[in-house]
Amino acid sequence: MAATPPSPSYSLSSNPSSFTHFSKSLKPIYSLVLPKPEPVKAFKNNRICRCEIRCFEPHHSWTIEHVSEMKDSIQSNSSSSSTVSVSAANVASQNPTRNSKKVSLFYCDETKTLAQKIAAEVDAIELRNISWGKFPDGFPNIFIPNAQGIRGQHVAFLASFSSPAVIFEQIPVIYALPKLFVASFTLVLPFFPTGTSERMEDEGDIATAFTLARLLSNIPISRGGPTSLVTFDIHALQERFYFGDNILPCFESGIPLLKRRLQDLPDSDNIAIAFPDDGAWKRFHKQLQHFPTIVCAKVREGDQRIVRIKEGDPKGRHVVIVDDLVQSGGTLIECQKVLAAHGAKKISAYVTHGIFPNKSWARFQHDNGGHPETAFAYFWITDSCPLTVKDVMNKPPFEILSLAGSIAASLQI
């Protein structure tokens, strides 16, 4: 192979009736060619696409020929009778991760299991350990082994902000990793924990969601630019505007996991989606619009707030209540009661973030059939809250839908 000076390029005609016709390009390009290029034979039923990639330097461009659905190889013979034979399909199948971005993934103690699942999704993701210790006074004593070994690499950290104490432990690591001469830095925070505290309804209220967003917006810039933040189903849509210009939020959703799970149910053709309030409907209805929809709302009757059905009919259906998170579970249970009273055959629930403080998950019983007013057929959560996952694992009606595949895909962007 030898690089040639600018010269006319040759390409296969896109006209299927003349596969042996060649046409000269009017623009010179740089290309890698054999010493004496021979015509390339094309065969019937191959689709040949031609595209041109222009160089930033003036008067230069590249021409690329892409052949798909090949049943035969393309051959080019040089004067020495050597043969180069390439099958595009074989190359792709033999090198599925050839173009995968190699990522060094760090994690905290709580997210170890999820990190292992993420690494199992893509061979190019390598797990890296951090030594998490404490000084005698209880403050963090943290060490990153072989810190020089990640220079020039794409680096990510899988965080879990389950309490203020662990936030303080992880922030020093999050601030330190981008400064180790890494190619890029990505913070994966599946659950943005202060999301429910985003409003100031009275003078003196503190919007801690804005405070945490500002804290993350000041992560040092790496050699590759601002930090990327991957998070799932943040509670209030306006919170995406809380972040500054030094961080690039990537907002993902767990709803695709739910949709795939619903397709596997034996009664998948009888599913209806219920939203416990207008906020949940605004957030998720576009992703679930091909399902029949039920919208509930809280109305005030005297001193009580009661859930009513605002729109839709649950009669005879398997109704799945969808929301972004659950804490005590009171709203879901009230919604369950009104849906059962209006004839729902089965009732299930999905939330991306199962927080369940004080083990409130124990309120949700498993319905083996015929008791939709008091129990749930399924309760799906993701593994965005690792401590909850440990509590409810293998305890019906709970099922865990893992975010590992979605996170692995995000790290490859």
Side-chain angles (χ1 to χ4, degrees), residues 86-107:
V86 180
S87 171
N90 289 340
V91 171
S93 62
Q94 293 173 5
N95 300 281
T97 59
R98 184 164 56 95
N99 296 321
S100 296
K101 183 174 74 174
K102 293 183 179 180
V103 179
S104 295
L105 177 61
F106 293 87
Y107 54 89

Side-chain angles (χ1 to χ4, degrees), residues 89-345:
N90 289 340
V91 171
S93 62
Q94 293 173 5
N95 300 281
T97 59
R98 184 164 56 95
N99 296 321
S100 296
K101 183 174 74 174
K102 293 183 179 180
V103 179
S104 295
L105 177 61
F106 293 87
Y107 54 89
C108 64
D109 287 341
E110 289 183 14
T111 58
K112 182 178 180 179
T113 300
L114 178 55
Q116 291 171 338
K117 292 180 180 179
I118 295 170
E121 292 283 336
V122 180
D123 291 338
I125 298 177
E126 177 187 6
L127 293 185
R128 297 290 301 268
N129 294 321
I130 294 176
S131 175
W132 302 92
K134 291 184 182 297
F135 289 109
D137 60 1
F139 278 81
N141 179 14
I142 307 167
F143 179 72
I144 301 173
N146 190 23
Q148 289 187 340
I150 62 173
R151 287 185 175 184
Q153 296 186 12
H154 299 287
V155 172
F157 180 75
L158 180 60
S160 175
F161 288 179
S162 59
S163 70
V166 298
I167 293 176
F168 183 74
E169 286 182 351
Q170 293 168 66
I171 286 294
V173 174
I174 293 169
Y175 274 46
L177 286 172
K179 300 172 71 173
L180 295 176
F181 291 92
V182 299
S184 69
F185 179 64
T186 301
L187 171 62
V188 183
L189 181 62
F191 172 49
F192 188 76
T194 59
T196 56
S197 181
E198 84 285 1
R199 290 188 297 267
M200 297 175 61
E201 297 180 346
D202 195 8
E203 190 67 29
D205 284 344
I206 304 297
T208 53
F210 178 73
T211 303
L212 182 58
R214 190 162 48 175
L215 188 66
L216 298 179
S217 297
N218 283 283
I219 296 173
I221 296 176
S222 70
R223 291 182 65 194
T227 294
S228 300
L229 169 67
V230 178
T231 191
F232 288 80
D233 291 323
I234 198 166
H235 179 67
L237 296 179
Q238 68 267 23
E239 289 173 13
R240 65 182 58 209
F241 304 111
Y242 290 0
F243 297 93
D245 293 339
N246 287 338
I247 193 167
L248 303 175
C250 177
F251 297 102
E252 301 284 2
S253 178
I255 294 298
L257 300 175
L258 171 65
K259 291 164 70 174
R260 287 197 290 270
R261 183 65 183 94
L262 294 181
Q263 290 174 355
D264 295 334
L265 296 180
D267 56 353
S268 59
D269 58 345
N270 193 39
I271 298 290
I273 301 297
F275 300 107
D277 51 41
D278 287 334
W281 177 84
K282 289 177 182 178
R283 168 182 298 280
F284 295 124
H285 79 279
K286 288 187 178 180
Q287 298 183 70
L288 297 164
Q289 58 187 351
H290 56 289
F291 289 99
T293 298
I294 302 160
V295 182
C296 298
K298 289 182 180 179
V299 296
R300 187 176 297 278
E301 291 187 1
D303 295 333
Q304 294 183 333
R305 299 190 69 183
I306 301 174
V307 175
R308 298 282 190 234
I309 292 180
K310 177 180 175 181
E311 178 183 331
D313 184 8
K315 187 174 182 180
R317 291 192 175 273
H318 180 180
V319 181
V320 180
I321 306 170
V322 174
D323 209 348
D324 62 315
L325 60 82
V326 59
Q327 297 217 36
S328 67
T331 299
L332 289 181
I333 290 175
E334 291 301 316
C335 190
Q336 172 195 23
K337 290 178 181 178
V338 70
L339 291 170
H342 284 76
K345 185 178 180 181

